Every structure is written in C-alpha cells, then in structure tokens.
Amino acid sequence: RSWFGTWGRHVIEPIQIWRFDEAPEELRTLSSHGGDEDWLALIPPQLTDKWRAWLEPAFGCGNVSEHAYPLLPGWKVLIGAHA
C-alpha cells in the first residue's frame, strides 16, 4: 500500500523501504549480493536523482546496488548490503 502526497499540483510518490527479507519477492530477485542484503528501497521517478544525499548515510551500508524496475518504467530499486 502506498501513500501519495501532493506538493502544489504535482503528485509526489514516496520512497518505499523494507528490510530485505520483508520486501516483495519480485524486487528481492533483482539482488546479486548473495545473501548479504540488509534493506531494499523502491524509488519513484521524481526522486531517483535525490535519494543518495540521505539514504546511503542513514543506512550506513558498505554496498548499494541500483537496478531498473521493468514493471514500473523510470523507477529504481536500491539494495543495500553490508559486504
């Protein structure tokens, strides 16, 4: 379930973040980390170039991989791993 906010006349969709083992399976299958995953985030197109400034430092992971999500063009899937 997503929450959608508005800012002026533009709809801003949220960044959704899960513990990796609680993320939807179709997103988890994008991982190539081999079992070291900590979290997974789904980033909407409006925020794909703005997430790094706060997401990486906040979660302190050693490795963050970025993937396109074919079912939602323009969206990114980020997977943070500790190794």
Side-chain angles (χ1 to χ4, degrees):
R1 182 184 244 194
S2 295
W3 174 86
F4 296 93
T6 59
W7 185 8
R9 288 182 237 146
H10 303 286
V11 173
I12 299 175
E13 299 172 43
I15 294 175
Q16 298 177 59
I17 303 171
W18 295 269
R19 287 178 25 159
F20 185 79
D21 59 341
E22 296 174 355
E25 185 175 353
E26 71 266 14
L27 300 177
R28 287 184 284 144
T29 61
L30 298 171
S31 180
S32 59
H33 292 288
D36 291 333
E37 301 89 355
D38 296 312
W39 55 268
L40 185 147
L42 183 60
I43 312 293
Q46 305 96 323
L47 300 174
T48 55
D49 61 343
K50 297 173 175 62
W51 66 269
R52 282 191 195 271
W54 65 270
L55 190 59
E56 273 186 345
F59 287 98
C61 286
N63 188 2
V64 176
S65 60
E66 187 172 315
H67 310 269
Y69 185 41
L71 297 179
L72 294 171
W75 289 63
K76 299 280 185 189
V77 175
L78 307 175
I79 299 173
H82 57 271

